Amino acid sequence: RLFISPPPEKPTIKSAFRYPLGQAIFGIGVGTVVESKNDAFAVGDKVRSESMPWQAYAILGEDQLIKLPTNDSDLSDHVGVYGMAAFTAYLGTIYAGKPEAGETIMISAASGAVGQVAVQLAKARGLRVVGMAGSDEKVEHVRSLGADAVINYKTCGDLNAAIAEAVPNGIDIYFDNIGGEILDAALLNLNPLARVVLCGSMSTYGAAQSKIRGITNLPSIIVKQVTLQCIYYLPHYGTQRETNFIQEMTQLVEQGKMQFRVDERIGLESAPQALADLFAGKNFGKLIVK
């Protein structure tokens, strides 16, 4: 079995060098070893790779593979609840966000692969959680995860007013997955010493430069001494932070305190449409292809 995770960046002219003509697109994936000429890997081992080709079978070297734990977890869990998106949520919420009980966190794209985990991690630490989602169905899902308030950013009208109403005491942590005008509006509602976690910029991926909304409210955060920190999962693989992440997520899953919604597409032939759906916001949860 093979599960692939469509890359969280939209292929553009700038990123095309990653995918030479005539070669398979690659990305994060997990699979099972069916043949091995390396003593470090045996037939039947579960493995993860950052460069898993979008094809049924692939030949990969030892330096391209990470052996996954031998346990009862489903293979797809390693691109799901224990995968890159969940790890990113953990790093952003816990290490960059530095949450304290009673604080308010706002999370954009809260129904997505990263956002849904961030919501639940924040609630587990006693925060007031405000989510943002792009449809009524997604709003209800975020509420079911424990969010205290949820904004439908596509129908709320004035973003600044909607955010201000949802966070009457201001925002202590803003976890940004969208960028653009939503990030700009969030900046106006930050408390002094707030932390902004810059995780993604879905509103700008693949957009023409003339269509990208710039940030205009940066001056408002200078006197508040706000911290902006980018978070990227790759440098943290294999570190104590990943070990802590796996331990905490395993405990939350076993206790029934961690939901993880997966949008699973069947068949490699569905991968191109899955990638298109990801950037059109048509997926619901973590998008994977089996």
Side-chain angles (χ1 to χ4, degrees), residues 118-173:
V119 167
Q120 295 171 88
L121 288 172
K123 287 301 295 182
R125 280 167 170 74
L127 275 70
R128 181 174 187 272
V129 178
V130 176
M132 304 189 80
S135 73
D136 291 342
E137 183 182 12
K138 291 180 179 180
V139 165
E140 289 306 312
H141 177 62
V142 176
R143 284 202 180 100
S144 76
L145 298 177
D148 299 281
V150 190
I151 300 168
N152 185 333
Y153 64 85
K154 291 186 177 179
T155 62
C156 69
D158 186 324
L159 277 170
N160 182 44
I163 293 172
E165 181 179 355
V167 291
N169 296 318
I171 300 169
D172 299 297
I173 306 167

Side-chain angles (χ1 to χ4, degrees), residues 61-265:
E62 180 180 357
D63 61 341
Q64 296 174 286
L65 296 171
I66 297 173
K67 188 183 293 188
L68 297 172
T70 302
N71 53 34
D72 295 330
S73 62
D74 190 85
L75 187 59
S76 64
D77 286 342
H78 295 281
V79 287
V81 71
Y82 302 119
M84 173 271 291
F87 188 29
T88 299
Y90 181 83
L91 291 168
T93 304
I94 307 307
Y95 290 102
K98 298 179 174 62
E100 295 183 9
E103 290 188 320
T104 295
I105 184 173
M106 189 170 80
I107 302 164
S108 61
S111 69
V114 174
Q116 62 180 319
V117 176
V119 167
Q120 295 171 88
L121 288 172
K123 287 301 295 182
R125 280 167 170 74
L127 275 70
R128 181 174 187 272
V129 178
V130 176
M132 304 189 80
S135 73
D136 291 342
E137 183 182 12
K138 291 180 179 180
V139 165
E140 289 306 312
H141 177 62
V142 176
R143 284 202 180 100
S144 76
L145 298 177
D148 299 281
V150 190
I151 300 168
N152 185 333
Y153 64 85
K154 291 186 177 179
T155 62
C156 69
D158 186 324
L159 277 170
N160 182 44
I163 293 172
E165 181 179 355
V167 291
N169 296 318
I171 300 169
D172 299 297
I173 306 167
Y174 175 52
F175 197 124
D176 182 50
N177 294 297
I178 296 181
E181 62 181 350
I182 292 177
L183 170 59
D184 210 26
L187 295 181
L188 289 176
N189 291 278
L190 298 178
N191 288 328
L193 303 179
R195 288 81 72 197
V196 176
V197 182
L198 300 174
C199 176
S201 187
M202 291 288 291
S203 66
T204 67
Y205 295 159
Q209 193 67 32
S210 61
K211 300 293 185 181
I212 295 176
R213 161 71 183 269
I215 302 301
T216 63
N217 292 326
L218 280 176
S220 68
I221 69 173
I222 295 174
V223 296
K224 294 181 180 179
Q225 302 177 72
V226 170
T227 299
L228 283 75
Q229 183 172 343
C230 303
I231 193 71
Y232 183 50
Y233 70 96
L234 198 55
H236 302 279
Y237 267 153
T239 67
Q240 185 60 44
R241 289 181 175 182
E242 185 181 21
T243 301
N244 295 345
F245 157 70
I246 294 294
Q247 291 174 345
E248 179 164 347
M249 291 297 285
T250 299
Q251 184 178 35
L252 290 171
V253 169
E254 290 176 349
Q255 294 174 347
K257 296 180 179 179
M258 178 59 64
Q259 302 178 47
F260 192 84
R261 182 161 181 152
V262 172
D263 185 341
E264 183 176 302
R265 310 296 175 88

Side-chain angles (χ1 to χ4, degrees), residues 6-19 25-26 54 205-207 272 275-276 278-279:
E9 68 170 284
K10 191 170 184 178
T12 63
I13 292 175
K14 291 181 180 179
S15 65
F17 72 92
R18 294 182 57 193
Y19 308 109
I25 290 177
F26 58 86
W54 288 20
Y205 295 159
L275 182 61
L278 178 65
F279 294 100

Side-chain angles (χ1 to χ4, degrees), residues 31-55:
T32 304
V33 175
V34 295
E35 183 176 338
S36 176
K37 295 182 179 179
N38 188 303
D39 293 339
F41 297 92
V43 173
D45 281 349
K46 300 176 183 178
V47 293
R48 180 185 72 208
S49 176
E50 301 296 310
S51 52
M52 188 76 78
W54 288 20
Q55 56 194 55

